[in-house]
Amino acid sequence: MIETIVVIMSTQSIHLQSASLIALTMIVVFGLPHGAFDGAVAMALGFGETLPAMLGFVSCYITIAVLVVLFWLMLPEIALILFLLVSSLHFGMGDSQTVGIIVRMTQIFAHGGLAVIGISLFHKDEVDEIFSHLTGNETNLVWHYIDIAGFFLFAVIAAYFVQALFKPMLWRRLLELILLCFAYYLLPPLIGFTLYFCGVHSVRHINYTWGRLRSKGYEIRTIIYFAAGFTIASWFFGMLMFWQMPKAEFLDAAILKTIFIGLAALTVPHMLLVDGIFRRSK
């Protein structure tokens, strides 16, 4: 997939800067595979006990992903709003600690919201260009909800600071949030998002999932086989989406749509499996 994009780039002019293209490549190569552990997770949850059960899981996973893509194509602006919401919750759940429901909800909205809403508000013009590619230039409703969410995010982060005064165990994650906030503000939006998605979220998710699977006695080879299989499948899915883009589509728009609609398609079943079932299975 990456080689194909590079070849096409050599014959067409695009608006994406080199740093942004590198960031998008890192998302595809290093970020997407973190969800490839879903096959091993499904096996640990009992879907791998029989072949029909695993085939049923894979079929449901693919069906949900395809439905997300179709929904995005029909209602892109609504789909983008929902994707931002779902991503914020998923990121926040991965960064939160089990320290009481109120504190955990604060962490979920603070960490997840800053990675999505914070980056959007810090770089409104650049992000609006990205959103325009993803929605066909319809972004007014998206920004309406982002602006509302920005006020809520500010209040949540303020509450986070107050909670940390009484719970020293929160200081480490709060410091992480502060450092990421500076990074989001100083770096271009795609680079800032890639820093978080690949360097924080993916690493944290892999460590958590790997530890849980190893504690259940699954062999390293089995986990890697499942991860490799799902990674290759996701790349193939992305290649198929890219080649199905309308011929008149600008290359930068096609790349952004392929990656971010693909992320949305994989995030929904991934979140249902990991946050909805796997984390609760303890």
Side-chain angles (χ1 to χ4, degrees):
M1 178 181 180
I2 303 303
E3 291 80 0
T4 303
I5 293 175
V6 171
V7 170
I8 299 176
M9 283 168 49
S10 65
T11 59
Q12 299 187 38
S13 60
I14 64 171
H15 301 294
L16 287 171
Q17 297 179 353
S18 298
S20 295
L21 287 171
I22 293 173
L24 291 172
T25 301
M26 291 184 66
I27 290 174
V28 172
V29 176
F30 300 108
L32 280 181
H34 89 274
F37 282 86
D38 286 358
V41 169
M43 184 177 64
L45 292 172
F47 292 102
E49 293 181 356
T50 64
L51 180 60
M54 179 54 76
L55 291 176
F57 164 77
V58 173
S59 298
C60 289
Y61 201 97
I62 294 175
T63 299
I64 294 172
V66 171
L67 289 175
V68 171
V69 173
L70 294 176
F71 180 75
W72 195 303
L73 295 177
M74 292 186 294
L75 297 169
E77 195 171 14
I78 301 300
L80 177 57
I81 293 171
L82 293 176
F83 174 52
L84 296 177
L85 174 61
V86 169
S87 298
S88 297
L89 293 175
H90 178 57
F91 293 155
M93 287 180 184
D95 293 336
S96 63
Q97 300 163 284
T98 307
V99 288
I101 184 64
I102 295 178
V103 175
R104 186 163 189 232
M105 292 301 293
T106 300
Q107 287 187 311
I108 289 173
F109 291 126
H111 288 268
L114 191 65
V116 176
I117 304 303
I119 291 177
S120 300
L121 293 175
F122 287 152
H123 306 280
K124 209 162 187 178
D125 291 338
E126 295 169 84
V127 173
D128 183 64
E129 185 176 352
I130 296 172
F131 287 170
S132 295
H133 287 314
L134 298 176
T135 62
N137 298 317
E138 297 292 335
T139 62
N140 291 333
L141 188 61
V142 178
W143 286 110
H144 172 71
Y145 285 106
I146 287 178
D147 289 337
I148 294 174
F151 289 105
F152 179 70
L153 177 62
F154 179 82
V156 168
I157 292 177
Y160 197 0
F161 274 90
V162 174
Q163 291 170 346
L165 293 176
F166 300 95
K167 293 182 179 293
M169 66 178 300
L170 301 179
W171 292 353
R172 184 175 179 180
R173 289 291 170 89
L174 181 58
L175 177 60
E176 175 187 298
L177 187 75
I178 294 171
L179 294 175
L180 284 173
C181 185
F182 280 110
Y184 297 153
Y185 181 77
L186 295 173
L187 296 173
L190 285 176
I191 297 176
F193 174 74
T194 301
L195 172 67
Y196 171 77
F197 187 68
C198 296
V200 178
H201 175 70
S202 296
V203 171
R204 184 166 284 155
H205 174 79
I206 289 173
N207 286 337
Y208 171 80
T209 307
W210 184 275
R212 286 283 307 278
L213 293 175
R214 290 294 290 149
S215 68
K216 289 177 176 290
Y218 290 99
E219 297 181 359
I220 295 177
R221 181 176 59 181
T222 302
I223 299 172
I224 292 177
Y225 282 166
F226 270 101
F230 270 67
T231 297
I232 294 172
S234 65
W235 288 344
F236 176 79
F237 181 69
M239 290 174 59
L240 185 62
M241 281 188 59
F242 183 78
W243 286 114
Q244 291 301 312
M245 290 292 171
K247 300 301 181 182
E249 193 81 71
F250 288 113
L251 182 58
D252 50 355
I255 294 173
L256 288 168
K257 280 186 175 181
T258 299
I259 292 176
F260 282 98
I261 296 178
L263 276 176
L266 296 175
T267 295
V268 174
H270 171 68
M271 184 176 178
L272 290 173
L273 179 70
V274 175
D275 298 320
I277 304 176
F278 190 52
R279 292 187 189 277
R280 297 173 181 270
S281 65
K282 292 188 294 184

